Amino acid sequence: MKIGILGGSFNPIHNGHIYMAEMAKKKCDLDVVFIVPAGHSPNKDERKMLTGLNRSTMCKFAVECINGVETSDVEVLSDSKSYTYITIKKFHEKYNNDELYFIMGADSIDYFEEWKNPDIIAKYANIIVINRGEYTDEYIEQKVEYLNSIFPVNVLKVDCPKIDISSTAIRELFMNKKYDEAKKYLNDKVFEYIIDKDLY
């Protein structure tokens, strides 16, 4: 089985995230993609984030009707920092007879060598790079060549249109009470959950 893994804060999860997952699944012929909301992010101020339970619940609402896309709480249920290399190792232990594919945006591959133990991520998973027009093919090829000079890495590139929205922008829309505009970028149940819980 070919398993995709898409991690992130998902604060909140929006249609751009889902589109990334679906494009990776389709273009790389994956059997399933797991959306993995971060538990204790090493790179973000948790005081500005919703609880893992709230973000996980929104992820589950967002994918419940999408065939082949699921949610994993492997990071949310962990007490330790949510480093990707640890998550990948956990997936490898659970699915040791399957192929893993870690999905990231092209902006992340640009500094992948600076991540915590990127060689371990590349050891256990292929890397799917979603390029939304930020970088030329030549630049990505040069970047992959550079990474391979440091540690072995197998990169698959997927081109897809950029959806011009971010979780930060969506939070701002809610804080400014622009609900109709925010709703356009969210699954209906995710939108209703945010309104009911007054999350932002």
Side-chain angles (χ1 to χ4, degrees), residues 68-86:
V69 182
E70 302 179 19
T71 301
S72 168
D73 284 339
V74 63
E75 292 189 3
V76 169
L77 297 177
S78 174
D79 292 329
S80 61
K81 290 286 185 183
S82 299
Y83 287 110
T84 299
Y85 83 95
I86 295 175

Side-chain angles (χ1 to χ4, degrees), residues 25-127:
K25 182 177 183 296
K26 178 182 177 182
K27 297 289 186 180
C28 297
D29 196 28
L30 306 180
D31 295 290
V32 62
V33 173
F34 284 100
I35 302 288
V36 184
H40 302 286
S41 174
N43 303 315
K44 298 198 176 183
D45 185 348
E46 289 188 40
R47 292 170 297 180
K48 298 178 181 178
M49 288 173 60
L50 298 179
T51 65
L53 175 60
N54 276 321
R55 290 179 291 107
S56 172
T57 299
M58 287 191 289
C59 288
K60 287 168 183 170
F61 281 143
V63 306
E64 66 181 0
C65 295
I66 302 175
N67 187 42
V69 182
E70 302 179 19
T71 301
S72 168
D73 284 339
V74 63
E75 292 189 3
V76 169
L77 297 177
S78 174
D79 292 329
S80 61
K81 290 286 185 183
S82 299
Y83 287 110
T84 299
Y85 83 95
I86 295 175
T87 299
I88 294 296
K89 285 179 73 174
K90 287 180 178 178
F91 268 91
H92 174 70
E93 289 165 8
K94 185 173 182 179
Y95 302 100
N96 57 12
N97 292 319
D98 299 308
E99 278 188 88
L100 300 182
Y101 293 78
F102 181 67
I103 304 163
M104 64 168 69
D107 54 332
S108 294
I109 197 73
D110 195 37
Y111 63 99
F112 183 51
E113 69 275 15
E114 299 174 20
W115 288 31
K116 184 82 167 176
N117 297 331
D119 55 320
I120 294 178
I121 300 171
K123 176 182 178 181
Y124 293 116
N126 303 286
I127 308 296

Side-chain angles (χ1 to χ4, degrees), residues 9-10 40 45 49 57 63 69 73 75-76 91 94 103 130 137 140 142 151 156 165-166 181 190 193 196-199:
S9 300
F10 302 118
H40 302 286
D45 185 348
M49 288 173 60
T57 299
V63 306
V69 182
D73 284 339
E75 292 189 3
V76 169
F91 268 91
K94 185 173 182 179
I103 304 163
I130 305 290
D137 290 348
I140 292 176
Q142 289 174 349
F151 52 81
L156 296 83
I165 193 60
S166 68
E181 199 169 340
V190 172
Y193 184 79
D196 288 346
K197 300 289 185 181
D198 193 21
L199 296 181

